[in-house]
Amino acid sequence: METFGTRLHRAVAERGPLCVGIDPHPGLLARWGLEDDVDGLERFVRTVAEALGDRVAVFKPQSAFFERFGSRGVAILESTIRQLRDVGALVLLDAKRGDIGSTVAAYASAYLDPSSPMYVDALTASPYLGVGSLAPMFETAAAHGGGVFVLALTSNPEGAEVQRAVTSGGRTVAQLVIDEISQLNRGAEPLGSFGLVVGATIGATGHDLSRVNGPLLAPGLGAQGATAADLPTVFGPNLSAVLPSYSREVLNAGPDADALRAAAARVAADCRRILASGH
Ligand SMILES: O=c1ccn([C@@H]2O[C@H](COP(=O)(O)O)[C@@H](O)[C@H]2O)c(=O)[nH]1
């Protein structure tokens, strides 16, 4: 069985280092001339999947925008996940799950067990009940070739007061998370399956990402103000592991399929240039 890290490494080599977020904001539905209802949601996500599904390495549907419409919205999320995986894209569901271990085990079954209707390649997770509480997710992901991306240094300004607080051991909370994920990825080749979320907006924070040996998802590009040119400041010598993530910046170009493709190609080219130059 191939690991998620191996599959991600190949997807990025074939399609380029880009994650496109699928965030059907009410404002975007209106901009696309769609109603803010289940039919509008379905038209929106089908358009994105048909325009970009065969060329973007990773899609990151934001669960909240589907949950907003109840069970019919979740059914659309489920079919979108299938549609994207059928055309060879990897799906990273952004649901930021986290809880006590026994409940985390249920989240692991829901999203990381291939027998589940909601099975995805990888899931975002929140470590604030302790990184150890996420163990059932890590175990299920490892057993089935899946991945988990754990929040470390998020792109929103409110994250810093918690994530950069110093623990009794002298490390920041974020560094503790980084170090625990680094342990899980030790020795993995070509890339570990356990990633971190590090916002592109945060500037230079002095955190040590050098031992992560796993993917570094970088949201905050585009609509939140960061650009590809900010990536070297945030990630320093660890740029090769960065997976840049854009949602609204690409989705704003729709609903025209060619315009969506052009927007994705533009941000991918910006990122490729910066990531390849290493600075
Ligand atoms: O630190 C984080 C973690 C997750 N996100 C999510 O990414 C997208 C960003 O959307 P944009 O339109 O590109 O701003 C969204 O789903 C967030 O929930 C994040 O922004 N920052």
Side-chain angles (χ1 to χ4, degrees):
M1 180 202 54
E2 279 191 319
T3 65
F4 174 72
T6 302
R7 296 190 293 128
L8 177 61
H9 190 262
R10 187 175 54 240
V12 165
E14 289 174 0
R15 296 185 175 198
L18 180 63
C19 170
V20 170
I22 306 183
D23 295 47
H25 287 260
L28 274 172
L29 295 176
R31 193 184 165 108
W32 283 34
L34 298 169
E35 293 299 321
D36 187 18
D37 60 15
V38 176
D39 291 338
L41 173 74
E42 181 154 34
R43 284 274 299 280
F44 184 94
V45 295
R46 297 283 167 257
T47 303
V48 175
E50 282 160 22
L52 301 178
D54 64 351
R55 61 197 63 207
V56 168
V58 182
F59 287 90
K60 185 175 75 62
Q62 172 52 258
S63 186
F65 290 107
F66 296 82
E67 292 170 32
R68 214 160 67 81
F69 296 102
S71 59
R72 292 178 66 202
V74 173
I76 291 170
L77 174 58
E78 201 178 298
S79 60
T80 305
I81 292 166
R82 267 199 307 274
Q83 184 179 1
L84 291 167
R85 297 192 77 245
D86 284 350
V87 292
L90 298 177
V91 176
L92 161 60
L93 181 64
D94 197 348
K96 299 186 183 67
R97 298 302 195 223
D99 210 310
I100 61 168
S102 52
T103 303
V104 166
Y107 283 134
S109 312
Y111 298 113
L112 297 168
D113 185 320
S115 66
S116 165
M118 292 290 282
Y119 173 69
V120 285
D121 299 285
L123 180 69
T124 57
S126 167
Y128 300 120
L129 276 79
V131 180
S133 69
L134 300 175
M137 276 187 203
F138 301 142
E139 286 156 15
T140 307
H144 299 293
V148 181
F149 285 75
V150 179
L151 302 179
L153 291 154
T154 59
S155 66
N156 58 318
E158 304 85 356
E161 69 172 323
V162 172
Q163 295 152 11
R164 299 188 209 177
V166 177
T167 65
S168 54
R171 289 177 290 181
T172 65
V173 171
Q175 190 64 54
L176 184 149
V177 172
I178 293 165
D179 293 346
E180 294 212 24
I181 296 305
S182 305
Q183 282 295 323
L184 294 177
N185 287 326
R186 241 180 5 166
E189 282 181 33
L191 185 70
S193 298
F194 303 106
L196 291 165
V197 179
V198 177
T201 47
I202 63 172
T205 65
H207 286 82
D208 179 7
L209 295 164
S210 64
R211 282 181 292 275
V212 177
N213 190 30
L216 301 170
L217 182 77
L221 294 157
Q224 292 176 54
T227 70
D230 293 313
L231 295 173
T233 307
V234 177
F235 294 97
N238 308 296
L239 275 179
S240 63
V242 173
L243 180 61
S245 184
Y246 294 82
S247 303
R248 285 167 288 180
E249 177 74 11
V250 171
L251 302 172
N252 272 330
D256 180 71
D258 287 334
L260 279 168
R261 290 186 194 113
R266 173 177 53 78
V267 296
D270 284 352
C271 290
R272 199 179 285 112
R273 188 168 38 77
I274 297 283
L275 297 182
S277 75
H279 53 81

mmCIF file of all heavy atoms in Angstrom, residues 121-169:
data_model
loop_
_atom_site.group_PDB
_atom_site.id
_atom_site.type_symbol
_atom_site.label_atom_id
_atom_site.label_comp_id
_atom_site.label_asym_id
_atom_site.label_seq_id
_atom_site.Cartn_x
_atom_site.Cartn_y
_atom_site.Cartn_z
ATOM 1 N N ASP A 121 -8.545 11.447 1.242
ATOM 2 C CA ASP A 121 -7.119 11.120 1.300
ATOM 3 C C ASP A 121 -6.478 11.656 2.570
ATOM 4 O O ASP A 121 -5.543 11.061 3.098
ATOM 5 C CB ASP A 121 -6.418 11.698 0.060
ATOM 6 C CG ASP A 121 -6.984 11.092 -1.210
ATOM 7 O OD1 ASP A 121 -6.653 9.934 -1.492
ATOM 8 O OD2 ASP A 121 -7.804 11.754 -1.879
ATOM 9 N N ALA A 122 -6.962 12.803 3.028
ATOM 10 C CA ALA A 122 -6.376 13.404 4.236
ATOM 11 C C ALA A 122 -7.393 14.346 4.871
ATOM 12 O O ALA A 122 -8.341 14.788 4.226
ATOM 13 C CB ALA A 122 -5.095 14.173 3.882
ATOM 14 N N LEU A 123 -7.152 14.627 6.142
ATOM 15 C CA LEU A 123 -8.091 15.409 6.958
ATOM 16 C C LEU A 123 -7.307 16.437 7.759
ATOM 17 O O LEU A 123 -6.193 16.133 8.226
ATOM 18 C CB LEU A 123 -8.789 14.428 7.913
ATOM 19 C CG LEU A 123 -9.816 14.968 8.890
ATOM 20 C CD1 LEU A 123 -11.066 15.443 8.127
ATOM 21 C CD2 LEU A 123 -10.208 13.867 9.886
ATOM 22 N N THR A 124 -7.860 17.629 7.975
ATOM 23 C CA THR A 124 -7.222 18.572 8.903
ATOM 24 C C THR A 124 -7.683 18.252 10.332
ATOM 25 O O THR A 124 -8.819 17.832 10.551
ATOM 26 C CB THR A 124 -7.549 20.041 8.574
ATOM 27 O OG1 THR A 124 -8.964 20.225 8.570
ATOM 28 C CG2 THR A 124 -6.964 20.460 7.235
ATOM 29 N N ALA A 125 -6.775 18.462 11.291
ATOM 30 C CA ALA A 125 -7.073 18.118 12.682
ATOM 31 C C ALA A 125 -6.589 19.220 13.612
ATOM 32 O O ALA A 125 -5.587 19.887 13.341
ATOM 33 C CB ALA A 125 -6.376 16.800 13.048
ATOM 34 N N SER A 126 -7.323 19.383 14.707
ATOM 35 C CA SER A 126 -6.958 20.385 15.718
ATOM 36 C C SER A 126 -6.288 19.679 16.900
ATOM 37 O O SER A 126 -6.853 18.735 17.452
ATOM 38 C CB SER A 126 -8.221 21.118 16.172
ATOM 39 O OG SER A 126 -7.920 21.859 17.326
ATOM 40 N N PRO A 127 -5.106 20.149 17.328
ATOM 41 C CA PRO A 127 -4.359 19.450 18.387
ATOM 42 C C PRO A 127 -4.628 19.979 19.785
ATOM 43 O O PRO A 127 -3.899 19.647 20.714
ATOM 44 C CB PRO A 127 -2.912 19.753 17.995
ATOM 45 C CG PRO A 127 -2.986 21.163 17.467
ATOM 46 C CD PRO A 127 -4.331 21.280 16.762
ATOM 47 N N TYR A 128 -5.645 20.805 19.983
ATOM 48 C CA TYR A 128 -5.761 21.516 21.259
ATOM 49 C C TYR A 128 -6.378 20.697 22.384
ATOM 50 O O TYR A 128 -6.571 21.199 23.480
ATOM 51 C CB TYR A 128 -6.429 22.881 21.043
ATOM 52 C CG TYR A 128 -5.586 23.699 20.078
ATOM 53 C CD1 TYR A 128 -6.106 24.156 18.879
ATOM 54 C CD2 TYR A 128 -4.236 23.926 20.345
ATOM 55 C CE1 TYR A 128 -5.308 24.838 17.976
ATOM 56 C CE2 TYR A 128 -3.431 24.590 19.444
ATOM 57 C CZ TYR A 128 -3.973 25.049 18.272
ATOM 58 O OH TYR A 128 -3.176 25.712 17.372
ATOM 59 N N LEU A 129 -6.679 19.411 22.116
ATOM 60 C CA LEU A 129 -6.955 18.496 23.228
ATOM 61 C C LEU A 129 -5.728 17.624 23.469
ATOM 62 O O LEU A 129 -5.793 16.589 24.118
ATOM 63 C CB LEU A 129 -8.194 17.633 22.950
ATOM 64 C CG LEU A 129 -9.535 18.306 23.305
ATOM 65 C CD1 LEU A 129 -9.971 19.282 22.238
ATOM 66 C CD2 LEU A 129 -10.615 17.278 23.563
ATOM 67 N N GLY A 130 -4.592 18.062 22.924
ATOM 68 C CA GLY A 130 -3.342 17.310 23.057
ATOM 69 C C GLY A 130 -3.076 16.529 21.778
ATOM 70 O O GLY A 130 -3.981 15.870 21.258
ATOM 71 N N VAL A 131 -1.846 16.612 21.283
ATOM 72 C CA VAL A 131 -1.520 15.907 20.037
ATOM 73 C C VAL A 131 -1.785 14.407 20.205
ATOM 74 O O VAL A 131 -2.274 13.732 19.300
ATOM 75 C CB VAL A 131 -0.051 16.162 19.612
ATOM 76 C CG1 VAL A 131 0.271 15.433 18.321
ATOM 77 C CG2 VAL A 131 0.208 17.657 19.444
ATOM 78 N N GLY A 132 -1.521 13.885 21.423
ATOM 79 C CA GLY A 132 -1.728 12.450 21.680
ATOM 80 C C GLY A 132 -3.175 12.020 21.489
ATOM 81 O O GLY A 132 -3.442 10.869 21.137
ATOM 82 N N SER A 133 -4.116 12.949 21.696
ATOM 83 C CA SER A 133 -5.536 12.576 21.533
ATOM 84 C C SER A 133 -5.867 12.283 20.080
ATOM 85 O O SER A 133 -6.890 11.665 19.773
ATOM 86 C CB SER A 133 -6.444 13.695 22.076
ATOM 87 O OG SER A 133 -6.358 14.841 21.234
ATOM 88 N N LEU A 134 -4.987 12.702 19.161
ATOM 89 C CA LEU A 134 -5.228 12.467 17.728
ATOM 90 C C LEU A 134 -4.685 11.107 17.270
ATOM 91 O O LEU A 134 -4.797 10.753 16.094
ATOM 92 C CB LEU A 134 -4.586 13.585 16.885
ATOM 93 C CG LEU A 134 -5.093 15.012 17.154
ATOM 94 C CD1 LEU A 134 -4.278 16.019 16.325
ATOM 95 C CD2 LEU A 134 -6.577 15.133 16.832
ATOM 96 N N ALA A 135 -4.125 10.340 18.223
ATOM 97 C CA ALA A 135 -3.479 9.065 17.851
ATOM 98 C C ALA A 135 -4.384 8.156 16.998
ATOM 99 O O ALA A 135 -3.906 7.566 16.019
ATOM 100 C CB ALA A 135 -2.983 8.337 19.095
ATOM 101 N N PRO A 136 -5.684 8.019 17.302
ATOM 102 C CA PRO A 136 -6.510 7.139 16.457
ATOM 103 C C PRO A 136 -6.548 7.593 14.987
ATOM 104 O O PRO A 136 -6.618 6.758 14.070
ATOM 105 C CB PRO A 136 -7.896 7.219 17.092
ATOM 106 C CG PRO A 136 -7.635 7.599 18.516
ATOM 107 C CD PRO A 136 -6.446 8.520 18.474
ATOM 108 N N MET A 137 -6.479 8.904 14.780
ATOM 109 C CA MET A 137 -6.430 9.394 13.380
ATOM 110 C C MET A 137 -5.109 8.994 12.729
ATOM 111 O O MET A 137 -5.086 8.545 11.587
ATOM 112 C CB MET A 137 -6.526 10.918 13.330
ATOM 113 C CG MET A 137 -7.908 11.468 13.365
ATOM 114 S SD MET A 137 -7.766 13.260 13.071
ATOM 115 C CE MET A 137 -9.283 13.767 13.832
ATOM 116 N N PHE A 138 -4.011 9.187 13.479
ATOM 117 C CA PHE A 138 -2.698 8.851 12.908
ATOM 118 C C PHE A 138 -2.639 7.352 12.591
ATOM 119 O O PHE A 138 -2.145 6.956 11.537
ATOM 120 C CB PHE A 138 -1.564 9.213 13.890
ATOM 121 C CG PHE A 138 -1.525 10.677 14.278
ATOM 122 C CD1 PHE A 138 -1.205 11.058 15.581
ATOM 123 C CD2 PHE A 138 -1.796 11.676 13.353
ATOM 124 C CE1 PHE A 138 -1.154 12.403 15.944
ATOM 125 C CE2 PHE A 138 -1.751 13.029 13.706
ATOM 126 C CZ PHE A 138 -1.431 13.388 15.007
ATOM 127 N N GLU A 139 -3.192 6.532 13.491
ATOM 128 C CA GLU A 139 -3.126 5.071 13.285
ATOM 129 C C GLU A 139 -3.981 4.650 12.093
ATOM 130 O O GLU A 139 -3.552 3.850 11.262
ATOM 131 C CB GLU A 139 -3.606 4.349 14.556
ATOM 132 C CG GLU A 139 -2.573 4.411 15.676
ATOM 133 C CD GLU A 139 -3.181 4.250 17.072
ATOM 134 O OE1 GLU A 139 -4.352 3.807 17.182
ATOM 135 O OE2 GLU A 139 -2.483 4.597 18.054
ATOM 136 N N THR A 140 -5.186 5.198 11.998
ATOM 137 C CA THR A 140 -6.067 4.821 10.875
ATOM 138 C C THR A 140 -5.475 5.313 9.566
ATOM 139 O O THR A 140 -5.490 4.593 8.555
ATOM 140 C CB THR A 140 -7.487 5.404 11.090
ATOM 141 O OG1 THR A 140 -7.938 5.005 12.374
ATOM 142 C CG2 THR A 140 -8.466 4.924 10.027
ATOM 143 N N ALA A 141 -4.950 6.525 9.582
ATOM 144 C CA ALA A 141 -4.320 7.062 8.362
ATOM 145 C C ALA A 141 -3.152 6.166 7.948
ATOM 146 O O ALA A 141 -3.042 5.772 6.776
ATOM 147 C CB ALA A 141 -3.839 8.493 8.597
ATOM 148 N N ALA A 142 -2.315 5.796 8.900
ATOM 149 C CA ALA A 142 -1.149 4.966 8.561
ATOM 150 C C ALA A 142 -1.593 3.600 8.040
ATOM 151 O O ALA A 142 -0.994 3.057 7.106
ATOM 152 C CB ALA A 142 -0.260 4.804 9.793
ATOM 153 N N ALA A 143 -2.671 3.061 8.604
ATOM 154 C CA ALA A 143 -3.120 1.725 8.194
ATOM 155 C C ALA A 143 -3.672 1.716 6.778
ATOM 156 O O ALA A 143 -3.636 0.682 6.101
ATOM 157 C CB ALA A 143 -4.188 1.226 9.172
ATOM 158 N N HIS A 144 -4.194 2.857 6.307
ATOM 159 C CA HIS A 144 -4.880 2.864 5.013
ATOM 160 C C HIS A 144 -4.277 3.833 4.000
ATOM 161 O O HIS A 144 -4.909 4.169 2.999
ATOM 162 C CB HIS A 144 -6.364 3.220 5.219
ATOM 163 C CG HIS A 144 -7.087 2.234 6.081
ATOM 164 N ND1 HIS A 144 -7.327 0.937 5.698
ATOM 165 C CD2 HIS A 144 -7.598 2.356 7.340
ATOM 166 C CE1 HIS A 144 -7.962 0.294 6.672
ATOM 167 N NE2 HIS A 144 -8.140 1.141 7.679
ATOM 168 N N GLY A 145 -3.067 4.312 4.253
ATOM 169 C CA GLY A 145 -2.427 5.198 3.272
ATOM 170 C C GLY A 145 -3.021 6.594 3.247
ATOM 171 O O GLY A 145 -3.023 7.256 2.198
ATOM 172 N N GLY A 146 -3.514 7.054 4.377
ATOM 173 C CA GLY A 146 -4.097 8.401 4.450
ATOM 174 C C GLY A 146 -3.154 9.387 5.124
ATOM 175 O O GLY A 146 -2.056 9.036 5.574
ATOM 176 N N GLY A 147 -3.603 10.633 5.189
ATOM 177 C CA GLY A 147 -2.792 11.681 5.796
ATOM 178 C C GLY A 147 -3.603 12.509 6.781
ATOM 179 O O GLY A 147 -4.841 12.517 6.746
ATOM 180 N N VAL A 148 -2.899 13.197 7.671
ATOM 181 C CA VAL A 148 -3.534 14.121 8.630
ATOM 182 C C VAL A 148 -2.695 15.396 8.643
ATOM 183 O O VAL A 148 -1.456 15.325 8.701
ATOM 184 C CB VAL A 148 -3.579 13.517 10.058
ATOM 185 C CG1 VAL A 148 -4.255 14.482 11.027
ATOM 186 C CG2 VAL A 148 -4.292 12.167 10.073
ATOM 187 N N PHE A 149 -3.356 16.538 8.537
ATOM 188 C CA PHE A 149 -2.678 17.838 8.622
ATOM 189 C C PHE A 149 -3.108 18.515 9.924
ATOM 190 O O PHE A 149 -4.287 18.834 10.105
ATOM 191 C CB PHE A 149 -3.058 18.739 7.435
ATOM 192 C CG PHE A 149 -2.391 18.338 6.147
ATOM 193 C CD1 PHE A 149 -2.819 17.219 5.435
ATOM 194 C CD2 PHE A 149 -1.344 19.082 5.633
ATOM 195 C CE1 PHE A 149 -2.207 16.839 4.244
ATOM 196 C CE2 PHE A 149 -0.717 18.729 4.445
ATOM 197 C CZ PHE A 149 -1.150 17.591 3.755
ATOM 198 N N VAL A 150 -2.144 18.724 10.810
ATOM 199 C CA VAL A 150 -2.440 19.242 12.142
ATOM 200 C C VAL A 150 -2.148 20.749 12.186
ATOM 201 O O VAL A 150 -1.100 21.206 11.697
ATOM 202 C CB VAL A 150 -1.591 18.479 13.194
ATOM 203 C CG1 VAL A 150 -1.868 19.007 14.584
ATOM 204 C CG2 VAL A 150 -1.887 16.980 13.109
ATOM 205 N N LEU A 151 -3.052 21.497 12.791
ATOM 206 C CA LEU A 151 -2.864 22.948 12.919
ATOM 207 C C LEU A 151 -1.636 23.247 13.777
ATOM 208 O O LEU A 151 -1.505 22.713 14.885
ATOM 209 C CB LEU A 151 -4.086 23.580 13.593
ATOM 210 C CG LEU A 151 -5.445 23.372 12.914
ATOM 211 C CD1 LEU A 151 -6.543 24.054 13.745
ATOM 212 C CD2 LEU A 151 -5.436 23.909 11.490
ATOM 213 N N ALA A 152 -0.747 24.081 13.276
ATOM 214 C CA ALA A 152 0.432 24.475 14.063
ATOM 215 C C ALA A 152 0.444 25.991 14.247
ATOM 216 O O ALA A 152 0.334 26.499 15.364
ATOM 217 C CB ALA A 152 1.702 24.001 13.387
ATOM 218 N N LEU A 153 0.558 26.729 13.138
ATOM 219 C CA LEU A 153 0.612 28.200 13.174
ATOM 220 C C LEU A 153 -0.392 28.691 12.143
ATOM 221 O O LEU A 153 -0.084 28.781 10.954
ATOM 222 C CB LEU A 153 2.027 28.666 12.836
ATOM 223 C CG LEU A 153 3.098 28.351 13.885
ATOM 224 C CD1 LEU A 153 4.489 28.262 13.248
ATOM 225 C CD2 LEU A 153 3.093 29.410 14.987
ATOM 226 N N THR A 154 -1.598 28.967 12.573
ATOM 227 C CA THR A 154 -2.672 29.221 11.616
ATOM 228 C C THR A 154 -2.575 30.638 11.027
ATOM 229 O O THR A 154 -1.888 31.512 11.572
ATOM 230 C CB THR A 154 -4.052 28.980 12.262
ATOM 231 O OG1 THR A 154 -4.188 29.851 13.387
ATOM 232 C CG2 THR A 154 -4.203 27.534 12.699
ATOM 233 N N SER A 155 -3.293 30.837 9.935
ATOM 234 C CA SER A 155 -3.139 32.090 9.179
ATOM 235 C C SER A 155 -3.887 33.269 9.801
ATOM 236 O O SER A 155 -3.647 34.413 9.424
ATOM 237 C CB SER A 155 -3.643 31.883 7.741
ATOM 238 O OG SER A 155 -5.039 31.639 7.750
ATOM 239 N N ASN A 156 -4.798 32.996 10.732
ATOM 240 C CA ASN A 156 -5.619 34.081 11.300
ATOM 241 C C ASN A 156 -4.868 34.786 12.428
ATOM 242 O O ASN A 156 -4.118 34.156 13.178
ATOM 243 C CB ASN A 156 -6.953 33.514 11.835
ATOM 244 C CG ASN A 156 -6.745 32.442 12.886
ATOM 245 O OD1 ASN A 156 -5.883 31.593 12.737
ATOM 246 N ND2 ASN A 156 -7.500 32.488 13.953
ATOM 247 N N PRO A 157 -5.080 36.104 12.601
ATOM 248 C CA PRO A 157 -4.321 36.843 13.617
ATOM 249 C C PRO A 157 -4.596 36.368 15.040
ATOM 250 O O PRO A 157 -3.739 36.498 15.920
ATOM 251 C CB PRO A 157 -4.773 38.303 13.426
ATOM 252 C CG PRO A 157 -5.983 38.260 12.546
ATOM 253 C CD PRO A 157 -5.962 36.968 11.796
ATOM 254 N N GLU A 158 -5.767 35.766 15.295
ATOM 255 C CA GLU A 158 -6.110 35.360 16.668
ATOM 256 C C GLU A 158 -5.343 34.119 17.110
ATOM 257 O O GLU A 158 -5.286 33.802 18.301
ATOM 258 C CB GLU A 158 -7.617 35.050 16.784
ATOM 259 C CG GLU A 158 -8.553 36.178 16.358
ATOM 260 C CD GLU A 158 -8.832 36.208 14.847
ATOM 261 O OE1 GLU A 158 -8.230 35.397 14.098
ATOM 262 O OE2 GLU A 158 -9.642 37.046 14.422
ATOM 263 N N GLY A 159 -4.768 33.393 16.148
ATOM 264 C CA GLY A 159 -4.120 32.113 16.484
ATOM 265 C C GLY A 159 -2.884 32.282 17.347
ATOM 266 O O GLY A 159 -2.569 31.424 18.190
ATOM 267 N N ALA A 160 -2.181 33.386 17.172
ATOM 268 C CA ALA A 160 -0.860 33.535 17.797
ATOM 269 C C ALA A 160 -0.903 33.456 19.319
ATOM 270 O O ALA A 160 -0.015 32.860 19.941
ATOM 271 C CB ALA A 160 -0.237 34.858 17.348
ATOM 272 N N GLU A 161 -1.946 34.025 19.960
ATOM 273 C CA GLU A 161 -1.917 34.082 21.431
ATOM 274 C C GLU A 161 -1.956 32.691 22.059
ATOM 275 O O GLU A 161 -1.419 32.485 23.143
ATOM 276 C CB GLU A 161 -3.032 34.979 21.988
ATOM 277 C CG GLU A 161 -4.432 34.448 21.821
ATOM 278 C CD GLU A 161 -5.467 35.300 22.572
ATOM 279 O OE1 GLU A 161 -5.145 35.786 23.679
ATOM 280 O OE2 GLU A 161 -6.570 35.461 22.043
ATOM 281 N N VAL A 162 -2.561 31.746 21.365
ATOM 282 C CA VAL A 162 -2.564 30.360 21.861
ATOM 283 C C VAL A 162 -1.344 29.607 21.333
ATOM 284 O O VAL A 162 -0.616 28.959 22.092
ATOM 285 C CB VAL A 162 -3.853 29.633 21.406
ATOM 286 C CG1 VAL A 162 -3.790 28.146 21.741
ATOM 287 C CG2 VAL A 162 -5.081 30.274 22.022
ATOM 288 N N GLN A 163 -1.107 29.717 20.040
ATOM 289 C CA GLN A 163 -0.093 28.866 19.397
ATOM 290 C C GLN A 163 1.332 29.279 19.761
ATOM 291 O O GLN A 163 2.238 28.447 19.744
ATOM 292 C CB GLN A 163 -0.306 28.897 17.878
ATOM 293 C CG GLN A 163 -1.647 28.277 17.489
ATOM 294 C CD GLN A 163 -2.223 28.827 16.214
ATOM 295 O OE1 GLN A 163 -1.545 29.550 15.474
ATOM 296 N NE2 GLN A 163 -3.483 28.512 15.936
ATOM 297 N N ARG A 164 1.517 30.551 20.082
ATOM 298 C CA ARG A 164 2.882 30.987 20.431
ATOM 299 C C ARG A 164 3.069 31.117 21.939
ATOM 300 O O ARG A 164 4.108 31.581 22.414
ATOM 301 C CB ARG A 164 3.204 32.297 19.709
ATOM 302 C CG ARG A 164 3.145 32.083 18.197
ATOM 303 C CD ARG A 164 3.643 33.270 17.438
ATOM 304 N NE ARG A 164 2.984 33.353 16.134
ATOM 305 C CZ ARG A 164 3.165 34.316 15.263
ATOM 306 N NH1 ARG A 164 3.998 35.305 15.539
ATOM 307 N NH2 ARG A 164 2.519 34.322 14.107
ATOM 308 N N ALA A 165 2.063 30.717 22.718
ATOM 309 C CA ALA A 165 2.228 30.685 24.185
ATOM 310 C C ALA A 165 3.305 29.656 24.508
ATOM 311 O O ALA A 165 3.468 28.652 23.804
ATOM 312 C CB ALA A 165 0.903 30.295 24.835
ATOM 313 N N VAL A 166 4.053 29.937 25.576
ATOM 314 C CA VAL A 166 5.189 29.074 25.914
ATOM 315 C C VAL A 166 4.748 28.028 26.938
ATOM 316 O O VAL A 166 4.113 28.350 27.945
ATOM 317 C CB VAL A 166 6.360 29.945 26.441
ATOM 318 C CG1 VAL A 166 7.530 29.076 26.861
ATOM 319 C CG2 VAL A 166 6.799 30.935 25.353
ATOM 320 N N THR A 167 5.079 26.793 26.675
ATOM 321 C CA THR A 167 4.689 25.685 27.563
ATOM 322 C C THR A 167 5.663 25.580 28.731
ATOM 323 O O THR A 167 6.732 26.218 28.727
ATOM 324 C CB THR A 167 4.713 24.343 26.798
ATOM 325 O OG1 THR A 167 6.075 24.074 26.418
ATOM 326 C CG2 THR A 167 3.859 24.382 25.552
ATOM 327 N N SER A 168 5.339 24.723 29.697
ATOM 328 C CA SER A 168 6.215 24.568 30.873
ATOM 329 C C SER A 168 7.607 24.079 30.475
ATOM 330 O O SER A 168 8.583 24.357 31.155
ATOM 331 C CB SER A 168 5.579 23.603 31.870
ATOM 332 O OG SER A 168 5.266 22.401 31.209
ATOM 333 N N GLY A 169 7.688 23.384 29.341
ATOM 334 C CA GLY A 169 8.999 22.899 28.882
ATOM 335 C C GLY A 169 9.811 23.951 28.140
ATOM 336 O O GLY A 169 10.938 23.680 27.710
#
